[in-house]
Structure formats: C-alpha cells, structure tokens
Amino acid sequence: MKISVIGTGYVGLVTGTCLAEVGNDVLCLDVDVNKINLLKEGEIPIYEPDLEDMVRRNVAAGRLRFTSNPEECTDHGLIQFIAVGTPPEEDGSADMQYVMKAARAIGRNMQDYRLIVDKSTVPVGTVDKVRTVVLEELVKRGVEIDFSVASNPEFLKEGAAVDDFMRPDRIIIGADDNKAIEFLRMLYAPFNRNHDRLVIMDARSAELTKYAANAMLATRISFMNELALLAEKLGADIEHVRRGIGSDPRIGYHFLYAGCGYGGSCFPKDVKALQRTAKENDIGLKILEAVEAVNTHQKEILLDKIQARFGSDLSGKTIALWGLAFKPNTDDMREAPSRILIAGLLAQGAIVSAYDPVAMDETERLFRNEASLKLADSPMSALEGADALVIVTEWKMFRAPDFGEIRRKLKNAVIFDGRNMYDPDRIRAEGFEYFAIGRL
C-alpha cells in the first residue's frame, strides 16, 4: 500500500519505518528540511534501538522516502497518517495547531479519496475536528472528494518502540466508516498473523483509550511511590510488598516498581491533558490530580535523602549521577527526574559528575551554561572524587557493577538508589551506606 506519514518525530518515524519494513511504499513528510536531509542520508535525529538500521535498510530498498513537500505527500498515500507533535499548552491542554495544519494541507492538496488517520495523541473529538477542517478546505476549492477520518492511537514505549510496533499487544481503530476499517485491517494484516489484535470502536472511544492507558500506568507508578514512602516509615520493604501484591493476577507485576518518579513525553503530558479535558466537561479527576502531585513530590525524594545524609548545604560536595534519560534505551530527557535532581544539587552548591550511555548530548544542550555540572566519559570516571553515587536511570549496564571499584573511587561509600536496582543486604555487606526507595 502507498502510505504517507506527516511528521518524522518519534511516532511518525517509527510508524513509517515499520510499515515500510513489511513491504509498504512509505513517504514521510516534515517541514524541517535539515531533518529530511539527514533522514535521506540514513541518519536519525533520535535514539531508539534498532530504528536506525531499519531506516537505512528501507531507504536503500526504496520503500521509505522523505520529503518536505506537502503536495507530494498528499499525492502519494492512499492512507495519510498524521503523526505530528501535540505539546502541552500552559493550561495542560494539547496544542492542536500542527494536527490542524496537517489536516488542512491534506484538504488543500487531495485529488481523490484519502483515508486520514490520527496517529498523534489527541483530545477526544479530534477526528470530528479534522473532518471539519478538511471539508472547509474542499469547500474553498469548490470540489467534492470522498475521504474518511479514523483514530489509530500509538502505544509505543520509548526504548522498545520498534518491537512494540512489529509485535503489538493491540491495534486500536476508531472509525464508523466500513471503508476506513477495511483499509486499516489490510494495512495491519502483517502484524496480525498470530491472532487478531485489532480492536474496533468508535473514534471518541479510541481517542479516550490512549489517554486512559497512559493515565492508568502513571497511576500505578504514583501509587507504588507513595506506598514506598509509607513503607519507609513503617519499617516495611516495598519490594516485598510489590511481589506480594503482584502475584495477584488481578493486579499483576507490571508498573509496580517504586522509584524517583516518572518522566518522558507521554505520561506527564497525557495526565495533564486528560485533566484539562475533564475540566472542560465539568468533571474533576481527583485521582489524576493526586497522581500528578505524588509524581512531582517523588522527583524531589533523592535530593531530600542526600541532604538528610550530608546536610542541606552541599557546598564542596561532589555527587556522581548514573543515568540521565527519563528511562533506559532512550536519550529523551523531557520531564526526567535527573533534571530536577541536578537543578536541586546545583542550587545547594554541589558539583555534579554525571554519566549516561546515550543522553550526554541532550544533557549538555540542557545545562550548557552550568560550570558545576561535569559530564564523564564512563560510569567509573564519574565517581572520581565524588562523595556519593546516585542511581537515577536503571540502565542494564548499572545492574552488576564492580562494587569494589566503586568503593575505591568514592570519597564516601554511599549509594542513593533511585530505582531500587540492588539488594540492600548485599550492598551493605560490601561496606556501603545504602539509601533506596522504600527498602529496608
């Protein structure tokens, strides 16, 4: 099938590349000419495991192409995916200007039937708004052309997006148009061979499903984080509690890990956007208000623990950080707990020595004027002369380090573990003071 994807950000690039991988003829559009030129050369502007090789492979095969020409994009694809950004406004609502611009461009340029698919995370009712603006453009042109609009929200985890797309848990299609449903059924057939993963529903339910999924996951995280603080006060171990409640099949083990808060481009934005949608409809989502408040507080927990150990004034102290991205296998630092911690440490006079396998360039961009932030070239070099080590992101490479070497490099054998990566008894047996989240 001929597919057009508008937007070559995280969602658009993964969507276009994976659809090309199974044999479709895909053209991706972006208004950023520099990004398009980079992609044409087989380079990608984000870090995502396996994506760069897949881009290069499909570009070389001629199945994946890139353009900055909207007319060419509209002419190419029978199916037009809108996968542009919807950044949060100051009031928490999603900024829809790029979605609407994409829809208008399709309406201005389409010459025959097009299936327009909202892939971006968008507020409930966006399918109706897209349909309206496309019709407006067709009326301006004085033409009548048949088209369909559907919702097909993405459920991609950063760091595992390629695998998520190629082996989806579910494929949500929101449409009341049988023609649109059948085209999408054909498109996703290669991803459905083992069993039918398509879930067909109306567009508004599909749009709400995306927000509800992320809100539920964020809720589980904040619940466990709040419970971890209680566990510390009660002398209980949150890891034991996690295993105890996770063994109940009604609860399960996923997203029950206590830590130093969630971040990224999805959970914070979508929790705020869903609250804003509820407010516009005279509904107060009190649970989500609490989820957000707990997460904001949790991002300050590591600094609180550091100050409890070393004092509120950290002047003259050097704190080593392992992990800067909001999660492993990405360089994304949007809403990352590391940013709150770094800012807090610097404000209290500390020197920060930090390392991350892939997020160093992004860290340098965000903190380029901070002389007290040192970026190390390896985990062990970040420890040289540091007063303590803080684990902020649970990269696999941090799971089984040489603790003897860590102890030799640190001034004080102190570890603050914001992701509960280590067994407290073992670490203390190695001679460390160990401060985790809700652990004994």
Side-chain angles (χ1 to χ4, degrees):
M1 298 179 75
K2 288 191 173 183
I3 309 297
S4 291
V5 179
I6 304 168
T8 60
Y10 183 82
V11 173
L13 187 57
V14 172
T15 298
T17 304
C18 290
L19 288 173
E21 178 74 3
V22 297
N24 293 294
D25 181 0
V26 179
L27 180 65
C28 295
L29 169 75
D30 203 289
V31 295
D32 186 335
V33 177
N34 291 330
K35 185 190 287 189
I36 290 298
N37 291 335
L38 186 74
L39 288 164
K40 285 180 177 179
E41 295 172 3
E43 304 295 326
I44 66 173
I46 58 174
Y47 177 82
E48 180 63 37
D50 302 324
L51 182 59
E52 188 165 12
D53 288 344
M54 190 179 283
V55 169
R56 290 176 176 174
R57 181 166 63 248
N58 283 281
V59 167
R63 294 188 297 266
L64 179 62
R65 295 179 294 115
F66 301 95
T67 184
S68 56
N69 186 331
E71 186 174 354
E72 180 186 5
C73 180
T74 306
D75 285 344
H76 175 79
L78 169 70
I79 301 178
Q80 302 272 317
F81 280 100
I82 297 178
V84 296
T86 54
E89 300 273 25
E90 288 186 9
D91 63 0
S93 61
D95 183 350
M96 296 299 294
Q97 62 171 311
Y98 306 112
V99 172
M100 292 302 115
K101 284 180 181 178
R104 289 194 182 280
I106 296 169
R108 281 194 299 269
N109 294 306
M110 60 188 290
Q111 300 300 319
D112 49 23
Y113 176 84
R114 289 293 179 264
L115 167 54
I116 303 163
V117 182
D118 286 338
K119 197 70 173 173
S120 303
T121 301
V122 293
V124 176
T126 297
V127 160
D128 297 331
K129 292 178 180 178
V130 167
R131 184 180 292 111
T132 297
V133 300
V134 172
L135 278 172
E136 288 174 357
E137 294 300 322
L138 294 176
V139 170
K140 288 178 186 177
R141 292 168 54 193
V143 297
E144 291 186 11
I145 301 173
D146 187 28
F147 70 95
S148 303
V149 186
S151 173
N152 174 220
E154 55 84 14
F155 295 94
L156 306 176
K157 299 186 295 291
E158 290 192 46
V162 170
D163 191 60
D164 284 346
F165 197 101
M166 300 301 290
R167 300 173 183 83
D169 297 317
R170 76 288 208 196
I171 302 167
I172 303 293
I173 294 175
D176 54 8
D177 181 329
N178 288 332
K179 188 175 183 179
I181 292 169
E182 287 310 309
F183 275 129
L184 289 171
R185 193 181 293 279
M186 285 190 289
L187 178 67
Y188 282 113
F191 308 96
N192 253 340
R193 297 188 66 189
N194 181 265
H195 64 274
D196 189 3
R197 295 174 173 85
L198 263 65
V199 182
I200 310 297
M201 60 184 71
D202 62 279
R204 286 178 174 250
S205 295
E207 291 163 340
L208 183 56
T209 295
K210 169 61 179 178
Y211 280 112
N214 280 350
M216 173 61 80
L217 296 175
T219 299
R220 288 170 69 98
I221 293 171
S222 281
F223 174 77
M224 290 303 291
N225 282 338
E226 197 162 44
L227 210 59
L229 302 185
L230 178 61
E232 289 184 3
K233 296 289 187 182
L234 298 176
D237 190 321
I238 196 64
E239 179 61 14
H240 296 166
V241 175
R242 182 190 71 83
R243 292 200 299 267
I245 65 175
S247 59
D248 185 331
R250 296 171 300 175
I251 298 173
Y253 292 103
H254 295 298
F255 280 80
L256 290 184
Y257 290 94
C260 53
Y262 62 76
S265 63
C266 294
F267 289 4
K269 174 176 71 72
D270 293 352
V271 167
K272 287 183 174 71
L274 189 53
Q275 288 181 79
R276 180 63 186 179
T277 296
K279 186 177 180 180
E280 290 170 352
N281 288 274
D282 299 320
I283 296 289
L285 299 182
K286 292 179 171 44
I287 291 175
L288 290 191
E289 290 173 9
V291 166
E292 187 176 15
V294 168
N295 191 58
T296 298
H297 177 254
Q298 199 71 14
K299 291 181 180 181
E300 300 170 353
I301 289 297
L302 284 173
L303 181 59
D304 291 344
K305 289 178 178 289
I306 293 167
Q307 290 182 301
R309 170 61 177 79
F310 291 107
S312 58
D313 184 0
L314 298 174
S315 299
K317 301 294 183 184
T318 298
I319 307 298
L321 266 60
W322 280 5
L324 297 165
F326 87 94
K327 64 179 289 187
N329 297 320
T330 181
D331 60 352
D332 194 344
M333 289 186 64
R334 285 174 287 185
E335 304 277 353
S338 65
R339 295 176 64 172
I340 303 299
L341 178 57
I342 290 171
L345 290 169
L346 296 176
Q348 297 304 319
I351 295 171
V352 177
S353 177
Y355 174 79
D356 188 282
V358 302
M360 301 294 267
D361 289 344
E362 182 65 6
T363 305
E364 187 172 18
R365 184 186 71 81
L366 291 169
F367 293 96
R368 62 167 57 97
N369 296 321
E370 294 291 350
S372 294
L373 173 61
K374 315 295 183 183
L375 299 181
D377 58 10
S378 71
M380 290 301 174
S381 64
L383 304 180
E384 295 283 357
D387 293 277
L389 165 63
V390 185
I391 310 292
V392 189
T393 311
E394 64 275 31
W395 286 92
K396 288 182 180 178
M397 67 185 304
F398 302 150
R399 288 182 181 177
D402 183 338
F403 289 106
E405 183 68 10
I406 293 174
R407 194 172 58 251
R408 285 189 290 272
K409 287 184 176 294
L410 289 173
K411 286 182 184 177
N412 307 291
V414 181
I415 295 177
F416 298 91
D417 186 353
R419 297 300 177 185
N420 291 349
M421 293 189 72
Y422 307 131
D423 177 73
D425 292 338
R426 183 202 166 183
I427 300 305
R428 291 180 182 125
E430 294 272 0
F432 289 93
E433 292 179 64
Y434 182 65
F435 303 92
I437 310 293
R439 301 298 308 273
L440 288 176

